[in-house]
Each structure stands twice: as structure tokens, then as C-alpha cells.
Amino acid sequence: MRHALPGLLALISSLPHLACAQAFAPDTPEAGSVEEIAKATTETRFLSPWVAYLPASSGAVSPRSFLHRIPGAPGELVNTTTAYAYCRALAASSPRVRLFTIGRSEEGRDIVLLAIADEAGIRDLDRLKAATAALADPRRTDAAAVEQLVASARPIYYFNAGLHSDESGSTESVLELAYRLAVSEQPMIRRIRENVVVLINPASNPDGRDKQVEWFYRYLKGKTDQATLPRQAPPYWSHYAFVDINRDAHQMVHATTKAVFRMMFDWHPQVIHDLHESIAMLLTWNGTNPINEHVDPLTYAERLAFSFHEVQTLTGFGMPGVWTWNFGDDWAHLYLDAIGTNHNADGRGYETFGNGSAETMRSEQPDSNTSVEWYRPLPAPPVASFLWSARDNVNYNETAMLAALDSTAQQAKTLLRNYYLKGLHSYRKGLDEAPFGFVIPAAQGDPTRVAQLIDRLISLGVEVQRATSALTLKEGTWPAGTYVVRLDQPYRDYAVDLLTPQNFPKDAPEAYDDISWSFPAHYHLAVIATADPQVRAAALAPLTEAPHVAGAAPGAGPVYLLKDSGQEGLLEARWALRGFRVAIAERAFKVSGTEYPAGSWILAPQPGLAAAVRDAATRLGLDCASTAAVPQVARHEAPVARLGVWIPWADTDTAGWTRYALDQRHIPYVYVRDEDIRAGKLRDKYDVLLYPHVDLELAEQIEGLYKSWGPMPFRKTASTPSFGNPAASDDITGGIGYAGLAELQKFIDAGGLLITLGNGSMLPLEGGLVRGVRREAGGVPRSTQGGGAAAAAASQIAVTRTPGAHVRVSFARPEHPIAYGYGPRTWVFRQNFALYSIPRRWLRMAYCTVCLDGPIDRSGIVLEWGDRDGAPFVVSGQAWGEENLIGRAAILDMPVGKGHVITFNFNPLHRDLNRGDQRMLWNAIINWRAILAAP
């Protein structure tokens, strides 16, 4: 069979008029579809008989008739307006399809969902949803009820298309899949319809889809030489994120993620399957070691079974390059498909080969996945030896999806039982083994940050309760109002995964992404695991919505004091009170028996102050006190800064998280583009210029996108209505250039404050804005399989590595404003950033005896790596060679001319996760004038 099928496909391709009743019975091919699919497929081995035609239908609208082409036609892409119009037309014309709207994007586009089953399944959708919801919670469904539910229920399989917008084939693929599932009478398709409910999200990131489609028609249409293509993606997909939209499973920040969570909690699917493109020809996800122990073994087993079924099926058709296993790791479940994995379902994904374009071309991209392996029995042909088309991509995607659905249909009852069992296993662990719960004190340093943690847990489906009276357990006593996560719940394993530290094995292979995501570490909060089963007998009230911390400002003033206890909300408070003078104490003081640490606010009498303080305190959960006189303590004024945020066109992705953090806190800032830097006069416009973490080497940060691609406008026009959001440009190429670097130098010399985060600190430290520091190891924090082989190699050979871990730090200058709200020792989240030397007065400028490096100068080090009292370096995750990092600068504050440069050797705004680190950056922005005033 394996040897006969390629010949059959060749015959069908060359003689399409024969492929009618016999080849495709009981279906009749839609006239012309066989010929068009064969023509669009570059080689017969890239096609399966399952997708070699479109079945004709007398009632349902086909994508070919609606789009006036086949899905995957060379040189064409469908935008969301047309894709959604087709979905609505299909639902209106077929009793086997229903359409739902599950969300709206940041830019106002619908996010839609198709449900496909036979007529009975569509009529019974509410009952089928109720059945999977009941199976999801073993506390309300006993064994007898399970069997009754399983007998009449169906597994629900969700496909997510178009998350990464330049991976454009999945949207085309699922539109055809939806139609085929609705109308084909092939026995396999009927089996799927009768035993499964298939959910399809055709464009999960609709903002990005439309930008990408317009980009293709504006810059890529008709260009087939991959080696000479211009940039293949617009500078933005979603409003905030680019690739990182697929790093949001623990945060639920983006509208796309929220829509998928909404679907998950409404439908309780057994599989969440995300469709991507990157490597040849089709990889069906299963990661290597290490394995996350908080995922049920049944999930790993089911995923392997699915994947090997797909490998077997497509290999049987003679389709080369289908494989599994050796991609990424199974440690961090922070991607969109992990919404399923973390909730007792199967999170799955494909990587199919793609050109980054709808045009047919010969790939020039290197690919090492061409060897025969146990997990890849029929490897892909060598790179550059074949042409690849958009239709080839559809053929692989759709054939594999059909194989997955057929496997689901054939083991439908087993998958439903396993789904129940995974929830039961998780629940029983909460009853039978410690920890039995987690205690989260409400009155920690920042009660609002505690409430934010509780809100995030609830949004992720973790049940949280609150003590209605004093809570006494083996580990201690806490007052009423304390938060408790009891672990006798279906998502117990996910709760434990989020609320305990990670311990990544030292001998494990290279990690694909973060190795720590511990919420207590991210939020800088105490979360106490309890081994006392009496937690289940405690007086607790369930929380159904996020708690709100209402602050207060009692008294008539006229002076108001705000004690600094590490509140993250102080940045927003300063802008809320931007019309008033705020002074910040530089030393601790006492008023009416209350100790106020350095960093506490003093608001002297001002008209309208009382009402403004009360409003800000109530809204932001801040407690202010009033007093009659201004305390006598050293202090400095903290005027509101004119804040600019420079977002380079070459990387808007990681910087998008900075924009999100500021937008959520209602902080006004100016979006600064490369051309705005080049235009100069920066000090006339900004007091503080913030340069976020960017995934760029030094030359890329300066030179930006290749000028040879330009001019490359990103501006709204009649043909590009999606462009220009959130920023527009007449030409996004060229970066800031060396003239722009000089303008940054002028800004600093003239008394500006430049703050750089993460890899953005490479620019001042290596670009000459700051002298006396050199890079000694490492580079851009990428992983090999994450798209940065060269940078990853530099990081991997570095003696010191912290690939997304929580590690300890100490304040070398605890009196510095950046230290306000923190103790002398704490921890931060660090990726594999470059390792820099301790500053020196000067660096060697020539090779001679008297030209050696100058003496060490630690005066600019505000925060250093390591705990000065000797506590273990790693809080959560793992580190290699930490002895070479300890004592080096985590934060530098370096005077340059009349200004200062503050460099973070970590990113305090990492994906809206490390909330406890953010305050250090907020301190720098709030206290900008005092920092500039220091020598």
C-alpha cells in the first residue's frame, strides 16, 4: 500500500478526469477541484487521497465556490472578513455546522468558533457540553454516572488556527477541513461526525491575520526567490504581542488567549490543538525530557498515541517528513495548547513546513531534520531539493488533522473516560497526599498584589477560598480573610505547578523557554503549603470573583503620608496625583507611633489634595494616613516624568509587554519610533526614555531592518487598512542608525535618564553610551529551537546560564531610590542575558604594559547578583555556573554627562509575570529627578 499510493496519486494528478465516481466514492468531487488541487501541489508525494478533491454538495457552500479558488491556491491568502463570511455561509447552509462568537480582539475584530458534528450532535450541543463539564469535575460525578455520561457523550476536539500570523497555512487548511467534515460521506468522515464534536477557530489572532494578509499583497505577492525576499511579516500582529502571543497560558493577557479560555470553560474539550509552521514537513508535538510531573501520565500517553498514529498514517501515504518527539521540552506548559494540558485535556500542536508566503518557492532555510530516526521513519527530502507550495501545506495539515479526528472517533469512549480519570487523579491527590492546600496571607506587604495573584488563579480555573474566621493549621495561625487554595479540586495538579518552585534538572537538555514560572516567586509573595488535612474542615467561603482591596485615607490632613510597603501601585498612584506635589522620604521616620521606611510619600498641604488622595487610595488599594505637619526628614520632590518608550521596528514583540504594563496602569507615555530617535531633540521632549528588552544583537538594535528593503511603509491606506496600528511609519527600515545613537548620547549628556531592560542594556553597555563595562560571555537569550541558533550557542557555551529562572540578588546601594519597597536581599527573574564585567574606571585601549584595565569601580552597582548572606542562589528553576555571576551588576546606575543611564541585566517586565520585580523599574521612573541629581 505504501508503494502503490504514490503511483495512484500521480495517476490522479495527471489524469484528473478519471478521479470521479470510483476514486472518491461515495463522494462526488466538485467539478474542477481535483485538477486545481493537483496543479497546486508541487509533488504527488505531498498529497494524500483524503484531500485530493473537494466533495460536491448540493446544499452547503464550498470554500472553492465562495473564495473562487481552492484553499491553499498559490499566491492567495484569505483575510478574516472573507474567512468569517465563509464560515457564516457554511453554517447557514449546513445543518451540521454552527457558528459562535467567543471574543473580540484588541482592535475590535470578532473571534469566531465553528462547531461541526452530525445533525444529532448539533441539536444536542448543549447536552454534550454539559456532559464534558460533568466529566471534568469528579466531585459531582460518581463512577456510575460517568458510565452513563460516557455512553451518550462525545469527545470535543478543538483546532486553533492562525495564532502566529506569518504561519498562514492553518487558516486556509481549517476552512477546507470544516467543509469536508460537513459534507463528505466517506465512512471515516461520517464516523468523525457521529462520534466527535469538532471545534474550529479559523483565525485566533484576527488582528494579526489581516495585517499579515495585507503585508503579503503589499510586499510579497509574486516574489518566489526566498533568498531575495524582503521582510516577510509586518512589525505587529496583535496589538501587543508578536510570537509571544503563544506564551500567555499562565497570564491570559491577550484577547486571543481569553477567547480560548472562554471556549475551554464553556466546552471542556478533550483536546486543544494549536497549528503552527516552522520545520519540514510536519512535526506532531511531543517534547523531550524533562517531563513536568504535574501533568497526568495519561496526557503524555494520549499525546504519544495521537502523534504516532499521525506519523503512521501519513507515512503510509508516502508523505515524507512526518515525525514527532524531538522538538522542545515537556517541562514548561506555558503555550496556548497548554490551556488543555493544564486542565486535564491534551494540549497538542503541529509544526508544518511553510514559506512565510503564499507563493510557491524553493526553501533556502537550513533544516537538520532529514535523518532517519525511530521517531521519523521517512524523513523530509534535503533542503533546496524541492518546491513547496501553500497547497502542499494544506495537504499535510488537513491530512494529519483528519487522522487525529479519526483516531479520536475510534477511541471516543476511552478519551472521555480518561478525561474524567485525569480530573479524578488530580482530585484524589489533594485528598491523599500533601500538600493538602496552600495558605496565602492577605496582609502581605502589598495586599493589591496579593489580590492580583488571587485574580489570576481564579481566572485560570483554580478554586480559591477565604477564611471566615481565624485559621489554625500545623504550619501556623492566620486571621480571617486569609486566602486558601484547597487541593481537593480537579485542577489540583495545575495549582501545585503554579504555587511551588520549579527544580529543572542540571543534566537536562537545553530548555526551549522559561524553566521557572512559580507564582510566589513571580509575585514576591509568601504562599505556604500545608500538610494539614484539617484545611478541608476550616471555615472557608469560596471566591467567585477577584477580590478588590479598598484603600483608605482617613482624617482631614492637611498632610498625607503613604507608607512604602512595596506596593506595586505607586507608579499609577503618582500619575493619578500628577496635579499635586509629592515628596519622597530618603530616610526612615516615625509619625504617631508608625514607622515609615525610606521611599514613603509625603504630600504637603495643597488645594484639592484630600479628595484626590482618597480617590486614588480607594481605587488603588493604598492606605494613607493624615497628620498635621510635614515630618522633618530628608526628602526629595518626585515630579511626574515626561516618559518616552522607544519601540524599535525590528522587534516590537518583547517591547509589547512593556506597553501593556504601562497601559494597564494608565500611565501616559509617548510611543517613540526609530525615526523619532533619529530626529533628535530628545531632551526637549522627554525626561525619561525607557528602552525595553529586545531580542536583537547590538548591530540589529542600531541598524534595524535592512535599508535595502525600504522604503517599507506601515501606514493605513485603502489597500492596507490594518496597518498603522498601534504605530505608523513611512519607512520602518534603517533603525536609529549611528546618527540616532549619537542623539541618544546627546539626550543623556543634556540631563536625560535612559533606562534599558534586559537585552536592551546591550545598547548602552556595548554601544559606547556607557564606558568601563565589557561583555564577557553570552548573548541574546534565545533557544536553539526557538529560532536563534547562533545566539543560543553563545548562551549555551557560556559558563553561567539562567534560562528563565528566579535567582537571588542583594542591594549594593540599599539607600538608592530603586531599592525603595524592598529589603536588602530579594530575588528577580533572569533569562540568559549576557554576562558583563564589573565596571572599571577605564578599559584597556591598546596592547601595552601601561594600557591595562583601570581599577574596579563598584559605585554604579545598585543591585548585584547573589545573596550577601549566602542563601541558595536559585529560588526556582535552575542555574549553571552561578559563581561567575554572583557579585556582578544586576542593575547599574551610571552617570554620563549631565544624565544617567540605568541598565537592568534582567527584564522586570517579563510577559506580565514577574509582578514583584516591576517595582524596581517603577522606582526609577518615579524618582527620576533624584537619580539625575545624584553625582
Side-chain angles (χ1 to χ4, degrees):
M1 184 67 173
R2 287 177 58 182
H3 301 288
L5 275 170
L8 172 62
L9 299 181
L11 177 65
I12 292 171
S13 299
S14 61
L15 299 172
H17 59 280
L18 297 179
C20 50
Q22 293 180 343
F24 305 111
D27 291 340
T28 299
E30 183 176 330
S33 67
V34 174
E35 296 87 342
E36 291 175 24
I37 291 172
K39 183 178 179 181
T41 300
T42 59
E43 298 186 34
T44 57
R45 59 179 172 166
F46 298 158
L47 180 65
S48 79
W50 289 352
V51 299
Y53 71 102
L54 283 172
S57 172
S58 59
V61 179
S62 80
R64 180 174 171 272
S65 64
F66 193 92
L67 302 176
H68 306 293
R69 62 172 178 84
I70 58 168
E76 303 294 341
L77 287 176
V78 62
N79 63 18
T80 62
T81 299
T82 304
Y84 289 173
Y86 173 67
C87 291
R88 292 185 174 94
L90 179 62
S93 61
S94 172
R96 299 168 177 170
V97 182
R98 282 186 62 185
L99 183 141
F100 303 86
T101 299
I102 58 173
R104 289 182 70 81
S105 72
E106 285 86 355
E107 296 177 10
R109 294 174 177 86
D110 284 346
I111 302 174
V112 306
L113 181 73
L114 289 176
I116 305 167
D118 62 2
E119 290 86 342
I122 293 296
R123 284 195 306 269
D124 284 353
L125 281 181
D126 288 342
R127 180 184 64 80
L128 294 173
K129 288 163 61 176
T132 53
L135 292 172
D137 191 346
R139 296 168 301 182
R140 63 188 183 98
T141 308
D142 60 23
V146 167
E147 288 308 311
Q148 293 178 350
L149 286 168
V150 166
S152 60
R154 302 185 186 189
I156 298 174
Y157 199 116
Y158 168 84
F159 286 110
N160 193 81
L163 183 64
H164 285 164
S165 303
D166 64 339
E167 301 166 9
S168 54
S170 60
T171 294
E172 302 269 332
S173 301
V174 297
L175 293 180
E176 180 170 300
L177 175 69
Y179 173 73
R180 191 179 305 278
L181 292 174
V183 306
S184 175
E185 294 302 324
Q186 291 285 355
M188 179 184 72
I189 303 295
R190 292 182 61 182
R191 180 165 59 242
I192 293 169
R193 277 199 307 264
E194 292 167 1
N195 292 279
V196 183
V197 175
V198 181
L199 303 179
I200 294 175
N201 183 339
S204 62
N205 178 4
D207 297 344
R209 178 71 186 187
D210 284 351
K211 289 183 178 72
Q212 185 67 41
V213 170
E214 292 167 18
W215 189 267
F216 168 77
Y217 285 108
R218 174 67 176 82
Y219 294 112
L220 302 174
K221 175 77 172 170
K223 298 177 181 178
T224 59
D225 180 5
Q226 191 175 67
T228 60
L229 290 178
R231 179 181 166 101
Q232 291 181 259
Y236 276 98
W237 291 337
S238 73
H239 190 71
Y240 290 110
F242 204 67
V243 173
D244 263 9
I245 199 170
N246 194 29
R247 306 292 190 275
D248 193 33
H250 295 327
Q251 309 95 292
M252 211 193 310
V253 160
H254 302 290
T256 290
T257 318
K258 292 175 182 176
V260 177
F261 264 97
R262 194 173 293 117
M263 176 282 304
M264 195 271 296
F265 287 128
D266 188 27
W267 293 81
H268 296 89
Q270 283 58 66
V271 182
I272 292 180
H273 191 144
D274 200 17
L275 302 171
H276 288 266
E277 294 175 19
S278 66
I279 50 182
M281 301 293 231
L282 184 143
L283 166 74
T284 169
W285 288 353
N286 276 288
T288 59
N289 288 338
I291 298 296
N292 188 318
E293 65 181 6
H294 300 303
V295 175
D296 194 287
L298 277 171
T299 292
Y300 290 126
E302 288 174 343
R303 282 175 30 194
L304 285 167
F306 272 120
S307 293
F308 281 110
H309 176 74
E310 291 151 355
V311 172
Q312 179 185 23
T313 300
L314 273 71
T315 300
F317 287 140
M319 301 174 79
V322 183
W323 55 291
T324 187
W325 184 71
N326 192 33
F327 184 83
D329 58 61
D330 251 318
W331 177 256
H333 294 285
L334 47 84
Y335 315 100
L336 186 135
D337 72 290
I339 296 171
T341 305
N342 294 331
H343 294 88
N344 301 326
D346 294 339
R348 307 198 61 227
Y350 293 155
E351 301 282 348
T352 50
F353 200 48
N355 290 329
S357 168
E359 299 292 359
T360 301
M361 62 185 77
R362 194 175 304 276
S363 175
E364 301 294 335
Q365 298 300 321
D367 195 327
S368 61
N369 303 300
T370 56
S371 60
V372 175
E373 307 287 349
W374 64 266
Y375 52 83
R376 186 171 52 233
L378 182 61
V383 172
S385 69
F386 59 92
L387 288 172
W388 186 259
S389 71
R391 182 64 209 188
D392 295 334
N393 179 279
V394 170
N395 294 339
Y396 270 78
N397 251 333
E398 191 178 359
T399 302
M401 287 189 282
L402 286 169
L405 291 174
D406 188 39
S407 178
T408 303
Q410 295 192 55
Q411 57 175 329
K413 305 308 178 185
T414 298
L415 288 172
L416 289 167
R417 287 192 190 92
N418 285 353
Y419 182 63
Y420 169 79
L421 286 174
K422 285 184 276 188
L424 179 63
H425 295 164
S426 188
Y427 165 65
R428 288 300 315 180
K429 284 182 185 176
L431 293 174
D432 299 337
E433 62 185 66
F436 299 108
F438 293 100
V439 177
I440 307 174
Q444 301 188 52
D446 185 1
T448 298
R449 199 183 317 137
V450 178
Q452 292 170 350
L453 169 62
I454 301 304
D455 181 23
R456 185 152 281 179
L457 289 171
I458 293 172
S459 71
L460 296 172
V462 175
E463 297 172 2
V464 184
Q465 297 176 306
R466 201 163 193 182
T468 58
S469 60
L471 175 66
T472 298
L473 300 169
K474 290 178 181 178
E475 294 77 13
T477 298
W478 296 270
T482 297
Y483 299 105
V484 177
V485 177
R486 281 176 42 178
L487 291 178
D488 52 333
Q489 57 174 297
Y491 302 142
R492 173 266 181 200
D493 287 345
Y494 188 31
V496 173
D497 195 40
L498 293 174
L499 294 174
T500 56
Q502 280 70 54
N503 183 20
F504 190 84
K506 278 236 177 187
D507 60 351
E510 178 194 5
Y512 187 84
D513 206 275
D514 293 347
I515 60 173
S516 176
W517 50 89
S518 168
F519 276 12
H522 269 318
Y523 281 74
H524 287 222
L525 294 173
V527 175
I528 300 98
T530 176
D532 191 342
Q534 289 303 309
V535 68
R536 295 194 295 271
L540 305 173
L543 289 177
T544 57
E545 60 183 10
H548 174 69
V549 178
V559 177
Y560 286 90
L561 306 176
L562 174 56
K563 180 178 179 178
D564 188 349
S565 59
Q567 304 98 313
E568 192 271 338
L570 292 190
L571 182 71
E572 186 171 354
R574 185 64 196 96
W575 258 265
L577 297 170
R578 58 187 171 274
F580 301 91
R581 299 187 312 278
V582 173
I584 297 181
E586 297 176 351
R587 299 287 184 270
F589 64 94
K590 181 185 287 188
V591 172
S592 301
T594 300
E595 297 282 351
Y596 290 84
S600 298
W601 289 15
I602 302 169
L603 293 92
Q606 301 165 66
L609 178 64
V613 168
R614 288 192 196 100
D615 176 70
T618 301
R619 184 164 50 84
L620 300 176
L622 302 172
D623 288 323
C624 298
S626 67
T627 187
V630 174
Q632 296 303 303
V633 62
R635 58 187 180 273
H636 59 257
E637 294 294 323
V640 171
R642 297 176 299 162
L643 177 63
V645 181
W646 169 29
I647 313 292
W649 287 115
D651 180 14
T652 65
D653 187 23
T654 49
W657 295 100
T658 297
R659 293 175 40 244
Y660 175 82
L662 294 172
D663 288 347
Q664 290 298 300
R665 289 154 184 80
H666 311 99
I667 307 302
Y669 63 90
V670 176
Y671 185 114
V672 182
R673 308 166 301 168
D674 293 339
E675 51 265 52
D676 300 322
I677 299 289
R678 297 195 303 262
K681 298 184 179 180
L682 301 174
R683 189 65 186 94
D684 294 343
K685 305 168 188 175
Y686 316 114
D687 303 309
V688 177
L689 190 59
L690 175 61
Y691 183 36
H693 165 57
V694 290
D695 191 17
L696 302 169
E697 292 285 3
L698 178 62
E700 297 166 341
Q701 294 185 40
I702 297 171
E703 298 175 7
L705 302 176
Y706 285 88
K707 286 185 178 180
S708 60
W709 294 342
M712 188 171 270
F714 184 67
R715 189 172 294 281
K716 182 176 182 178
T717 67
S719 61
T720 57
S722 299
F723 285 13
N725 194 342
S729 177
D730 293 325
D731 185 8
I732 65 173
T733 69
I736 62 170
Y738 292 92
L741 187 64
E743 294 298 336
L744 290 173
Q745 185 76 65
K746 292 177 185 177
F747 167 75
I748 302 164
D749 286 342
L753 176 60
L754 175 65
I755 304 174
T756 60
L757 310 181
N759 199 63
S761 294
M762 186 181 287
L763 184 74
L765 296 179
E766 301 183 37
L769 299 178
V770 170
R771 306 297 298 276
V773 180
R774 65 163 61 96
R775 189 205 300 196
E776 295 190 338
V780 182
R782 301 170 181 163
S783 67
T784 303
Q785 292 178 326
S795 294
Q796 289 303 303
I797 64 174
V799 174
T800 299
R801 289 181 287 132
T802 56
H806 292 91
V807 296
R808 296 191 191 275
V809 288
S810 299
F811 279 102
R813 294 172 60 185
E815 79 289 349
H816 195 285
I818 289 176
Y820 292 161
Y822 291 92
R825 297 172 305 282
T826 183
W827 62 82
V828 297
F829 182 84
R830 188 182 193 271
Q831 295 168 280
N832 263 343
F833 294 113
L835 193 70
Y836 289 99
S837 66
I838 295 173
R840 292 180 179 269
R841 295 290 179 86
W842 64 82
L843 296 180
R844 185 177 65 189
M845 299 180 191
Y847 187 73
C848 69
T849 303
V850 295
C851 302
L852 301 178
D853 290 347
I856 285 176
D857 180 5
R858 300 185 64 90
S859 63
I861 300 179
V862 177
L863 186 74
E864 65 183 33
W865 296 110
D867 187 290
R868 288 190 168 186
D869 283 354
F873 184 65
V874 175
V875 174
S876 179
Q878 191 55 270
W880 290 259
E882 58 264 34
E883 64 276 5
N884 297 296
L885 183 60
I886 292 171
R888 297 178 188 259
I891 300 177
L892 282 172
D893 176 9
M894 305 288 278
V896 178
K898 296 179 181 179
H900 279 238
V901 176
I902 294 176
T903 65
F904 285 71
N905 191 227
F906 61 99
N907 179 13
L909 300 178
H910 178 70
R911 300 174 181 164
D912 195 44
L913 281 166
N914 51 336
R915 296 279 184 94
D917 300 350
Q918 293 177 354
R919 177 64 195 280
M920 297 182 197
L921 173 59
W922 302 161
N923 283 341
I925 295 172
I926 293 170
N927 296 279
W928 66 275
R929 179 172 286 179
I931 291 170
L932 289 171

